[in-house]
């Protein structure tokens, strides 16, 4: 079965799962209405139920009752029934007393009361499901407030089990619900830990985390057998939803490195099924141990973003150049993807077939292609813009001496001396030369043009000055950041083309948003004539019209 078919089936399974949770028209009403006697007789050992006792529903209690009814379907999926208990007027017992009417809901397991909830804590379906599951999973989901508490749990799990650590800014939110639903499903496999303490999130080692957003870390404690050895942590980069958590845990449960001995075109892994790329590292018997260590190192760097497979040359008959040793396979397309650089490698893209690209050539094995090879690859080169640029300009020396070299001592002072500074962060000079935007024919013209606009072009070699790159939060190479007066910085995420990069630099000089004071300015802006310095650069325009009474 192909990777695309596997991915389609996986997606269909998710859709069927969520479709099964959608109530259909005409289905039976899930919120039961019982008398107190009927309710307590219906309780079964081990089965959970959420009950709301009321003499009658006042207008103020109607919204709460609607939310309770809406949550019945979601809670039923976890074996929890939802009941509205109609109390007789003369009943003044514990649950039907006037002081409790319309103010509390009760969670039972069998006939044992687990938790009382104030109705204002159950304000919507997410808060109801999150709080109910949190109460039922109290022993499975540990709540922590300090770093010491978290470390004690980690130490107890080392060598035994992995941990899922989640931070939510507040309980009762959609993210809290997603974590609780995941704990209900995976709680027997992983230890779940929850916190709402922003200070604890910062203490875990994340650099300036966004405490306004929920975050999830997978802690690999099962591999840490030494108490002094910290658990590796892999952050989930997506929003905290049940599907994303399921996807992340599925990736964390996959083998770190998959060893394959078949045609790469036939290989299908969980990464490909979930739409992620798979990196193949070629190996042979003589270098197996070193190749395995390299594969594991790469796998840890891309964990959660891509898979890694070790492909043996000895067991697969592949028509691959001996100097090629790394390949990338994606579910739908071919893409040259370079995120890791080693001292013994420099990145290069070579078209191989319809779904593979081989990259990272050994420096010492570099040699000239023979004439037959050039003829065979000529059409492939013409079909790929990036490959064509690399092939055309690989023998040319680009005027990189005109770009100011920054060091740890000169970086911050250079940013303060110029109104706008463009910094190229790279991990080797060879990597910088591979950028298509640095084409020889137009680069000197762009240098002169940008220089007249008060823009300083500079570069930092992160191999020589890793401290600067770490401080500037540069995690992949090459990266371009634009600094304004040494303060605000913007990362360039566009195409690596001369025109695209120049346009972005010029657009970044204009205030955003740009305030227009007259109708003539607004019309000129829409025609692309205002401001005048941008009239020659193609860009999308968005105009917002506000009244003078609108707040800032």
């Amino acid at each position: 079965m192909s990777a695309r078919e596997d991915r389609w089936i996986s997606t269909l399974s998710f859709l069927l799962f969520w479709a099964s949770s959608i109530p259909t028209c005409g289905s039976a009403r899930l919120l039961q209405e019982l008398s107190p006697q009927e309710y307590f007789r219906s309780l079964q050992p081990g089965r959970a139920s959420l009950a709301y006792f009321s003499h009658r529903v006042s207008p103020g209690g109607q919204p709460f009752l609607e939310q309770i009814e809406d949550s019945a379907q979601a809670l039923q999926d976890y074996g929890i029934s939802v009941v509205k208990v109609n109390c007789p007027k003369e009943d003044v017992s514990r649950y039907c007393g006037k002081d409790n009417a319309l103010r509390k809901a009760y969670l039972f397991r069998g006939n044992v009361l687990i938790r009382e909830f104030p109705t204002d804590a159950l304000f919507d379906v997410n808060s109801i499901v999150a709080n109910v599951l949190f109460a039922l999973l109290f022993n499975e989901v540990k709540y922590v407030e300090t770093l010491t508490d978290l470390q004690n749990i980690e130490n107890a799990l080392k060598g035994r089990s992995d941990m899922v650590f989640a931070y939510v800014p507040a309980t009762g939110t959609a993210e809290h619900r997603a974590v609780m639903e995941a704990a209900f499903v995976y709680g027997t496999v992983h230890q779940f830990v929850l916190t709402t303490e922003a200070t604890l999130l910062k203490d875990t080692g994340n650099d300036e985390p966004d405490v306004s957003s929920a975050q999830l870390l997978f802690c690999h404690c099962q591999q840490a057998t030494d108490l002094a050895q910290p658990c590796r942590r892999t952050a989930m980069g997506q929003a905290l939803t049940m599907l994303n958590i399921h996807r992340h845990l599925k990736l964390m449960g996959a083998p770190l490195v998959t060893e394959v001995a078949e045609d790469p075109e036939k290989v299908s892994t969980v990464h490909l099924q979930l739409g992620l790329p798979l990196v193949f590292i070629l190996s042979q018997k003589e270098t197996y141990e070193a190749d395995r260590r390299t594969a594991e190192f790469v796998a840890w760097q891309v964990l959660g973003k891509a898979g890694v497979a070790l492909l043996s040359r000895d067991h697969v008959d592949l028509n691959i150049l001996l100097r090629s040793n790394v390949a990338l396979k994606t579910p739908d397309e071919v893409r040259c993807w370079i995120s890791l650089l080693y001292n013994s490698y420099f990145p290069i893209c070579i078209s191989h077939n319809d779904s593979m690209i081989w990259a990272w050539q050994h420096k010492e094995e570099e040699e000239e292609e023979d004439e037959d090879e050039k003829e065979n690859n000529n059409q492939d080169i013409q079909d790929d813009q990036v490959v064509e640029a690399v092939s055309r300009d690989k023998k040319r020396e680009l005027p990189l001496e005109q770009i100011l070299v920054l060091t740890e001592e000169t970086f911050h002072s250079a940013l303060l001396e110029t109104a706008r500074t463009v910094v190229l962060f790279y991990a080797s000079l060879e990597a910088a030369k591979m950028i298509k935007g640095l084409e020889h024919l137009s680069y000197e013209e762009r240098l002169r043009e940008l220089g007249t606009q008060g823009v300083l072009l500079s570069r930092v070699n992160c191999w020589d000055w890793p401290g600067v790159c770490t401080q500037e939060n540069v995690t992949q190479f090459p990266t371009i950041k634009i600094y304004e007066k040494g303060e605000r910085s913007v990362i360039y995420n566009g195409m690596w083309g001369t025109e695209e990069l120049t346009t972005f630099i010029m657009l970044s000089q204009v205030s955003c948003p740009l305030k227009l004071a007259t109708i003539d300015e607004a019309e000129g802006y829409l025609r692309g004539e205002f401001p005048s310095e941008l009239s020659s650069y193609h860009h999308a325009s968005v105009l917002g019209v506000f009244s003078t009474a609108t707040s800032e």
Side-chain angles (χ1 to χ4, degrees):
M1 182 180 292
S2 67
R4 181 173 298 185
E5 289 172 332
D6 285 342
R7 187 183 176 196
W8 183 87
I9 291 173
S10 179
T11 302
L12 180 60
S13 299
F14 277 131
L15 291 175
L16 290 174
F17 170 77
W18 289 111
S20 66
S21 300
I22 300 174
T24 58
C25 295
S27 60
R29 193 163 181 258
L30 294 172
L31 178 66
Q32 304 176 59
E33 292 196 33
L34 302 173
S35 68
Q37 295 78 12
E38 290 172 332
Y39 173 65
F40 286 109
R41 283 200 303 267
S42 69
L43 297 179
Q44 302 175 20
R47 184 174 175 82
S49 63
L50 180 67
Y52 173 57
F53 293 80
S54 174
H55 286 281
R56 62 184 181 277
V57 179
S58 66
Q62 188 62 37
F64 169 73
L65 189 61
E66 291 174 355
Q67 296 300 327
I68 283 286
E69 185 168 4
D70 291 342
S71 68
Q73 173 68 65
L75 291 176
Q76 187 185 60
D77 292 338
Y78 298 101
I80 305 166
S81 60
V82 180
V83 181
K84 176 179 176 290
V85 181
N86 297 316
C87 296
K89 292 182 179 180
E90 63 278 7
D91 191 341
V92 291
S93 61
R94 174 184 178 184
Y95 300 112
C96 288
K98 292 182 179 179
D99 292 340
N100 289 299
L102 302 178
R103 290 193 302 178
K104 289 186 179 179
Y106 300 87
L107 178 64
F108 290 87
R109 179 181 278 128
N111 59 2
V112 178
L113 177 63
I114 301 296
R115 185 71 56 86
E116 298 180 6
F117 298 106
T119 55
D120 56 4
L122 307 179
F123 47 85
D124 63 7
V125 174
N126 287 328
S127 63
I128 294 171
V129 176
N131 283 300
V132 168
L133 290 180
F134 196 14
L136 291 174
L137 299 174
F138 184 77
N139 293 322
E140 288 79 7
V141 180
K142 305 295 184 182
Y143 183 84
V144 294
E145 296 181 345
T146 67
L147 183 61
T148 300
D149 294 337
L150 181 64
Q151 290 174 339
N152 288 339
I153 295 175
E154 277 193 340
N155 289 335
L157 293 174
K158 286 178 179 177
R160 295 174 44 242
S161 177
D162 294 322
M163 182 177 76
V164 179
F165 173 60
Y167 162 78
V168 293
T171 58
T173 60
E175 293 81 7
H176 182 209
R177 173 185 173 179
V179 173
M180 290 302 103
E181 289 181 317
F184 190 92
V185 177
Y186 295 99
T188 58
V189 181
H190 309 300
Q191 174 64 63
F192 278 73
V193 177
L194 181 74
T195 189
T196 57
E197 300 294 329
T199 304
L200 176 55
L201 180 66
K202 296 177 182 178
D203 291 342
T204 57
N206 292 335
D207 296 330
E208 295 301 325
D210 181 9
V211 296
S212 64
S213 301
Q215 299 187 34
L216 184 140
L217 299 173
F218 187 91
C219 305
H220 306 266
C221 296
Q222 192 170 13
Q223 299 179 356
T225 55
D226 185 358
L227 285 179
Q229 178 186 1
C231 300
R232 285 178 178 263
R233 295 169 180 168
T234 303
M236 188 180 79
Q238 295 77 32
L240 242 67
T241 66
M242 179 57 186
L243 281 178
N244 285 340
I245 296 175
H246 166 81
R247 181 177 183 269
H248 191 65
L249 296 182
K250 195 174 180 65
L251 291 171
M252 296 303 100
L256 183 64
V257 175
T258 303
E259 296 198 18
V260 296
E262 60 178 319
D263 188 340
E265 290 297 329
K266 299 178 180 178
V267 173
S268 176
T269 67
V270 64
H271 306 87
L272 294 171
Q273 294 166 15
L274 294 175
L276 296 177
L278 182 63
V279 180
F280 286 92
I281 296 180
L282 281 173
S283 175
Q284 52 194 12
K285 183 170 59 176
E286 294 77 9
T287 61
Y288 172 78
E289 294 298 333
D291 295 334
R292 176 76 193 188
R293 289 194 298 270
T294 299
E296 290 178 354
F297 174 82
V298 173
W300 281 115
Q301 308 309 309
V302 300
L303 189 60
K305 303 177 183 68
V308 176
L310 196 61
L311 177 63
S312 173
R313 287 183 184 270
D314 301 321
H315 297 92
V316 182
D317 184 18
L318 294 174
N319 184 23
I320 303 170
L321 298 175
L322 288 176
R323 63 175 181 264
S324 300
N325 53 14
V326 176
L328 180 74
K329 179 179 181 180
T330 62
D332 300 319
E333 60 181 337
V334 181
R335 183 177 300 167
C336 184
W337 180 77
I338 300 171
S339 64
L340 296 173
L341 301 174
Y342 296 92
N343 287 317
S344 59
Y345 297 93
F346 74 91
I348 186 168
C349 306
I350 303 174
S351 297
H352 177 62
N353 55 35
D354 290 339
S355 64
M356 305 289 290
I357 284 187
W358 296 96
W360 291 351
Q361 215 172 29
H362 275 293
K363 286 182 180 177
E364 61 268 25
E365 291 180 356
E366 182 187 10
E367 61 184 14
E368 293 293 327
E369 291 177 305
D370 57 43
E371 294 301 318
D372 292 336
E373 202 169 33
K374 289 182 180 179
E375 291 178 4
N376 293 336
N377 291 333
N378 185 54
Q379 185 60 46
D380 290 333
I381 289 175
Q382 292 178 3
D383 290 341
D384 191 308
Q385 230 178 357
V386 177
V387 175
E388 183 182 3
V390 171
S391 177
R392 182 182 65 248
D393 293 333
K394 64 183 178 181
K395 295 300 181 182
R396 297 179 180 178
E397 282 295 321
L398 300 177
L400 293 180
E401 65 276 1
Q402 297 188 39
I403 304 180
L404 179 64
V405 177
L406 300 182
T407 67
E408 195 168 79
E409 292 76 21
T410 62
F411 182 82
H412 294 288
S413 60
L415 299 186
L416 296 174
E417 292 173 359
T418 311
R420 185 164 282 96
T421 306
V422 180
V423 183
L424 166 67
F425 298 91
Y426 60 97
S428 69
L429 190 57
E430 289 83 358
K433 291 182 180 180
M434 301 298 290
I435 302 173
K436 183 179 182 291
L438 304 183
E439 291 181 345
H440 179 74
L441 294 179
S442 59
Y443 193 68
E444 290 181 285
E445 297 175 8
R446 297 303 182 191
L447 281 174
R448 289 193 293 269
E449 180 180 349
L450 293 172
T452 61
Q453 300 288 338
V455 178
L456 172 67
L457 297 183
S458 59
R459 55 191 169 103
V460 174
N461 190 334
C462 291
W463 278 353
D464 295 335
W465 307 105
V468 175
C469 301
T470 300
Q471 186 177 16
E472 296 305 311
N473 198 28
V474 175
T475 58
Q476 61 182 12
F477 310 111
T479 290
I480 285 184
K481 299 183 77 171
I482 301 177
Y483 294 82
E484 184 177 354
K485 296 181 181 178
E487 299 176 353
R488 184 178 66 91
S489 66
V490 178
I491 297 179
Y492 177 65
N493 293 317
M495 296 291 293
W496 289 91
T498 305
E499 293 295 334
E500 292 85 350
L501 181 56
T502 305
T503 298
F504 181 82
I505 294 173
M506 299 305 296
L507 286 173
S508 69
Q509 299 184 73
V510 179
S511 299
C512 184
L514 177 67
K515 294 185 178 180
L516 307 177
T518 66
I519 294 178
D520 289 339
E521 286 183 353
E523 291 178 346
Y525 173 77
L526 291 175
R527 290 194 300 268
E529 301 169 359
F530 182 87
S532 58
E533 58 266 27
L534 297 184
S535 59
S536 59
Y537 296 94
H538 174 74
H539 61 277
S541 299
V542 179
L543 178 64
V545 181
F546 303 91
S547 70
T548 54
T550 305
S551 66
E552 189 71 18

